[in-house]
Amino acid sequence: FHEGTGKKSTDLFPFYLENAAIGIAASDSVKHAIISGSKMNDDYQKMQAAINIVNDKSAALKAEFNSPANLPHSEAFLGEIGNRSMALSAEKNNIYKNFVQANPNNPASVDILIAMTGPIPDYEVVGTLYNGLSDAVKATPEGKMYGARMDKLKIFAIGQPAPDFTQNDTQGTPVSLSSFKGKYVLVDFWASWCGPCRAENPNVASNYEKYKGKNFTVLGVSLDQPGAKDKWLKAIADDHLNWTQVSDLQYWNNAVAKQYNVVAIPQNFLIDPDGKIIAKNIRGGTLTSKLAELIK
């Protein structure tokens, strides 16, 4: 605590233990400590310094977004902020990627992969990086846990057959994913309580109306809560979701969501007429462009 203020103070210095004579020196606070004698920590600290620069840029971008001088936000301003934010995310992930590729024998690389992964991992990116780690790092407890996660993700990699499932629609009638074989299907995980999902719904609806007669459909899977069927139905009507909707109303325990390893929404999988996954988590203009490319 800060004396006299009652406010909590964060004074932390995380580091890795290895078989070396590690020295830690701090003059004013733990968080400003300097570590020596450890290559593992030296490499990690260099990477973290580069990440901190990107974090400072992100903080400045957030301040610019929240500045009263930029209110109300114009569509052009929001587009520019979005593009700059995506560029910063790509810059940060590139730093992480370079570290993992350069340090296959460093157990810290597993932590970096976890930082890269976020709630919706992209196997095509992190799977390749994980496979490049040394056997010793993969054999650590963290490495084994992450490897098990990669095994689950691999099932839903681009080019893999989408696992079939069956769940009841709004009328209580069982609907199977396999019943849509022969069409492009966007399996869309969402919920009435999910703000980002509701914000994306108009885009999904627009694309559905444009391509529904051209061998394309949407299959919505809702993670609405037990006893909240009325809210689910109201959201379907309010957002004009004129395609098949299914749910077991079990919130995060939705059987299909668990089968597809969905731990955050909105999330989607685009499946081709042969039943194979050809794209994941495509929203906004990316969804529109992908459908335009596929459906003539």
Side-chain angles (χ1 to χ4, degrees):
F1 289 88
H2 288 295
E3 261 187 61
T5 66
K7 294 181 179 179
K8 288 184 177 180
S9 173
T10 302
D11 194 11
L12 302 173
F13 180 70
F15 64 94
Y16 291 91
L17 288 175
E18 65 173 318
N19 187 17
I22 301 175
I24 300 177
S27 57
D28 57 351
S29 66
V30 173
K31 65 183 177 182
H32 294 143
I34 297 174
I35 192 166
S36 60
S38 168
K39 185 180 185 307
M40 182 187 298
N41 285 289
D42 286 346
D43 292 339
Y44 180 82
Q45 293 300 320
K46 288 176 184 176
M47 182 278 302
Q48 192 59 52
I51 289 295
N52 288 340
I53 293 174
V54 181
N55 287 341
D56 288 343
K57 293 178 183 178
S58 296
L61 184 64
K62 183 178 180 180
E64 183 180 345
F65 178 81
N66 292 325
S67 171
N70 293 318
L71 294 175
H73 295 145
S74 68
E75 187 173 333
F77 177 78
L78 290 174
E80 179 195 350
I81 291 291
N83 288 336
R84 288 163 62 188
S85 177
M86 289 175 62
L88 288 173
S89 294
E91 184 178 350
K92 180 181 287 189
N93 279 338
N94 196 47
I95 294 170
Y96 286 147
K97 178 180 177 182
N98 290 338
F99 179 90
V100 174
Q101 288 179 328
N103 295 276
N105 299 308
N106 191 334
S109 289
V110 178
D111 292 331
I112 301 305
L113 281 175
I114 293 171
M116 280 186 70
T117 297
I120 306 178
D122 186 345
Y123 178 82
E124 287 70 28
V125 175
V126 294
T128 300
L129 292 173
Y130 176 80
N131 290 336
L133 297 178
S134 68
D135 290 340
V137 170
K138 290 178 183 177
T140 63
E142 294 79 8
K144 289 179 180 178
M145 288 178 62
Y146 199 82
R149 191 176 190 188
M150 290 299 98
D151 289 340
K152 289 182 179 180
L153 289 178
K154 189 175 182 180
I155 298 172
F156 303 99
I158 301 297
Q160 293 296 312
D164 195 18
F165 61 82
T166 300
Q167 202 156 85
N168 289 349
D169 64 12
T170 57
Q171 302 299 316
T173 303
V175 176
S176 297
L177 173 62
S178 56
S179 67
F180 296 94
K181 195 166 185 179
K183 290 186 176 183
Y184 288 100
V185 183
L186 184 72
V187 179
D188 184 38
F189 291 89
W190 73 292
S192 66
W193 48 261
C194 169
C197 303
R198 302 294 296 274
E200 174 63 12
N201 278 345
N203 179 58
V204 179
S206 174
N207 281 287
Y208 172 75
E209 293 300 328
K210 183 175 182 179
Y211 293 109
K212 65 181 180 180
K214 301 179 181 179
N215 211 38
F216 169 77
T217 193
V218 181
L219 176 57
V221 181
S222 171
L223 277 66
D224 270 275
Q225 301 182 45
K229 184 175 182 179
D230 56 335
K231 294 180 180 179
W232 176 39
L233 297 179
K234 185 176 186 302
I236 292 172
D238 289 348
D239 293 0
H240 308 290
L241 310 183
N242 301 318
W243 50 85
T244 303
Q245 295 282 345
V246 299
S247 181
D248 57 12
L249 298 175
Q250 291 299 312
Y251 200 31
W252 289 110
N253 286 319
N254 179 287
V256 182
K258 294 182 76 171
Q259 179 185 357
Y260 272 66
N261 201 33
V262 171
V263 295
I265 52 176
Q267 192 166 348
N268 61 42
F269 295 82
L270 183 60
I271 299 165
D272 74 4
D274 293 324
K276 293 183 178 180
I277 299 169
I278 55 174
K280 297 183 291 186
N281 302 317
I282 49 175
R283 293 186 280 276
T286 306
L287 173 61
T288 303
S289 299
K290 186 65 177 178
L291 292 178
E293 170 194 328
L294 294 169
I295 305 172
K296 306 300 181 185

